[in-house]
Amino acid sequence: MSFRKALQLNNGITIPQIGLGTWLSKPHEVENALVWAVEAGYRHIDCAYVYGNQDEVGAALKKVIPSTVRREELFITSKLWNDAHRPSEVEKQLDITLSQLGTPYLDLYLIHWPVAFVPGRGLLPNRAEKPGEAEIDQDTSIVDTWRAMLALRSTGKVKAVGVSNFPIQHLEAITKATGERPVVNQIEAHPLLPQDDLVEYCKKEGIHITAYSPLGNNLQGKRLVDYPEVKEVAERLGATTAQVLIAWGVSRGYSVIPKSVQKDRIVKNFEQITLSKEDYEKISEIGKNNHVRFNIPITYSPKWSINLFDEEIEREAQTDYTVKLE
C-alpha cells in the first residue's frame, strides 16, 4: 500500500512524496498513464512545457476531475523552458502551460534549467556559426528570471516557485540577489548519483528536493533495476526492484517522481515498502566509485556548450558559455 505521505515546503504548503513523472513519454502514452495513476492514488503530477505532452496531461485531467479527484487534491508541477527566461516571456509561457493543462493554477512552477536560450527561435535554437550547438542567451541572468518567477506568486496562477537542475552556486546566486530561496530544487538523484553535498545544502537551507529519474535512465544501458544488490533486496522483501529504488529515495527524505506508462508498473510504484538501515546502505554502496549522471546537456543535440555540473565530459569539452549570475 502507499503511505500517502506529504512533505511540508518552506512556504507552508505540502507536496505528496510520490509523484508521476511524464518526461520521455511517447505521444499518446501520457493520457492513459495519468488516468491510471490518479485512479491508483497518485496526487502529485510532474510536467514541463518542453516535454511536448501537456495537452495530453490536460486531456487526462478532464477525465479525472471531478469524477475521481478534486483539483485541490492534486499537486501539479510544470517548468519554464529556456527560451522564456527573459522576464517579459515568463508569464506568457506560464499562460500557455495553464491553457494546455486546463487548470487555472499550478501548485509549483520551476525554472527548468539555469540556462537561457535566445527567444523566438524555437525550443532548441541552433547557433548560426556553429551548427549542432544551441544558441545560449548571455544577456539574461538567472537572477532576472528568478525575480520574474517570484512575481508570479501575486497573480494567483502559481502557489509556489522553485528551480530544477540548479547546483549550489546557482542556488546561492539567486538567493543572495533576491533574499528568497526556491521552495524546491528538482534534480537527478538515484544510487549512482546521490548528490550528497547538494542534498545536504538544500536540507540546511530549507529547499525541498524532488528527485527525477529515481530508477536511473534506461536509454543509456545502465539499468539500476538490474543491479544484483537491488534484485537481492527486492527478492528478500517480496517487492519489485523499482519499489526498492523508490524506497531508497524516500528514505533520504525527499519526494520522488518515477515515470512509467505501463498500468501495472504505475500501480506497483505507488505501493511503498520500507528499507531497513542495512538495506538502504546496501543500495547506497552501488554508487561508491561508480558515479553516473545520465542527464548532461553537453551531450544533447544540439549540444549546450556550457559546463553546468563539472562532470568529466564537461571539463574536457571546449565550452563557450557560462551561466550568467547577475
Side-chain angles (χ1 to χ4, degrees):
M1 68 172 188
S2 172
F3 303 152
R4 295 181 182 265
K5 185 175 181 180
L7 305 173
Q8 188 167 42
L9 305 179
N10 66 26
N11 67 344
I13 69 173
T14 58
I15 183 171
Q17 192 164 22
I18 307 293
L20 180 74
T22 59
W23 182 39
L24 295 178
S25 296
K26 295 177 183 177
H28 312 302
E29 290 183 332
V30 169
E31 184 175 344
N32 286 336
L34 195 145
V35 171
W36 293 330
V38 172
E39 289 175 346
Y42 287 76
R43 295 297 180 261
H44 176 179
I45 310 298
D46 184 77
C47 314
Y49 180 82
V50 77
Y51 297 168
N53 56 21
Q54 290 190 142
D55 287 324
E56 284 189 53
V57 174
L61 291 174
K62 287 180 181 177
K63 290 182 177 180
V64 297
I65 300 172
S67 59
T68 304
V69 68
R70 291 178 291 115
R71 169 63 185 91
E72 311 88 74
E73 296 177 274
L74 294 176
F75 190 102
I76 301 175
T77 299
S78 190
K79 308 176 194 76
L80 178 82
W81 185 237
N82 305 0
D83 66 335
H85 275 215
R86 292 185 181 179
S88 61
E89 301 298 314
V90 171
E91 189 172 359
K92 293 178 185 177
Q93 192 168 100
L94 169 62
D95 287 340
I96 295 172
T97 282
L98 293 175
S99 176
Q100 290 173 338
L101 294 174
T103 180
Y105 69 92
L106 294 176
D107 297 275
L108 178 64
Y109 198 39
L110 308 177
I111 301 175
H112 205 148
W113 288 93
V115 178
F117 287 165
V118 174
R121 298 267 310 281
L123 295 178
L124 295 167
N126 264 285
R127 294 176 69 179
E129 70 277 18
K130 285 192 177 183
E133 290 192 10
E135 185 167 6
I136 292 175
D137 178 5
Q138 290 281 268
D139 295 327
T140 305
S141 77
I142 55 173
V143 171
D144 296 332
T145 308
W146 180 236
R147 286 197 175 105
M149 292 286 283
L150 291 171
L152 293 176
R153 297 174 301 182
S154 65
T155 67
K157 298 175 184 178
V158 299
K159 289 189 174 182
V161 291
V163 298
S164 179
N165 299 302
F166 270 50
I168 292 172
Q169 65 267 34
H170 299 155
L171 295 170
E172 290 178 334
I174 62 174
T175 301
K176 180 180 178 182
T178 64
E180 296 211 46
R181 298 163 297 170
V183 168
V184 168
N185 186 17
Q186 185 179 125
I187 62 170
E188 179 184 347
H190 44 73
L192 298 178
L193 188 71
Q195 303 223 59
D196 291 333
D197 290 346
L198 179 55
V199 170
E200 183 59 32
Y201 172 84
C202 287
K203 183 178 180 180
K204 178 171 65 75
E205 295 297 319
I207 301 170
H208 176 79
I209 291 285
T210 294
Y212 68 79
S213 298
L215 311 182
N217 186 319
N218 292 342
L219 295 183
Q220 298 185 31
K222 294 180 181 289
R223 287 167 47 92
L224 266 168
V225 293
D226 291 336
Y227 274 70
E229 298 88 340
V230 180
K231 288 183 173 181
E232 188 275 321
V233 172
E235 289 172 7
R236 181 160 35 80
L237 297 179
T240 67
T241 49
Q243 286 172 331
V244 170
L245 293 167
I246 291 167
W248 182 87
V250 166
S251 297
R252 290 161 63 81
Y254 46 62
S255 54
V256 297
I257 46 172
K259 171 253 173 178
S260 181
V261 293
Q262 297 183 32
K263 185 175 183 179
D264 58 338
R265 291 182 181 177
I266 289 170
V267 172
K268 279 291 185 183
N269 288 351
F270 199 61
E271 294 173 358
Q272 291 181 258
I273 63 168
T274 300
L275 296 184
S276 66
K277 183 174 182 291
E278 292 74 22
D279 286 338
Y280 170 80
E281 291 173 352
K282 180 188 287 284
I283 302 302
S284 297
E285 283 295 317
I286 294 171
K288 300 293 173 63
N289 302 313
N290 190 23
H291 172 97
V292 179
R293 184 189 294 272
F294 296 107
N295 195 15
I296 309 174
I298 205 165
T299 67
Y300 290 1
S301 179
K303 78 173 187 178
W304 306 5
S305 185
I306 193 167
N307 183 345
L308 286 177
F309 304 122
D310 207 34
E311 295 287 339
E312 183 176 357
I313 191 172
E314 295 174 308
R315 294 194 300 270
E316 291 176 349
Q318 291 185 331
T319 55
D320 297 334
Y321 296 110
T322 58
V323 173
K324 188 175 182 183
L325 300 179
E326 55 184 34

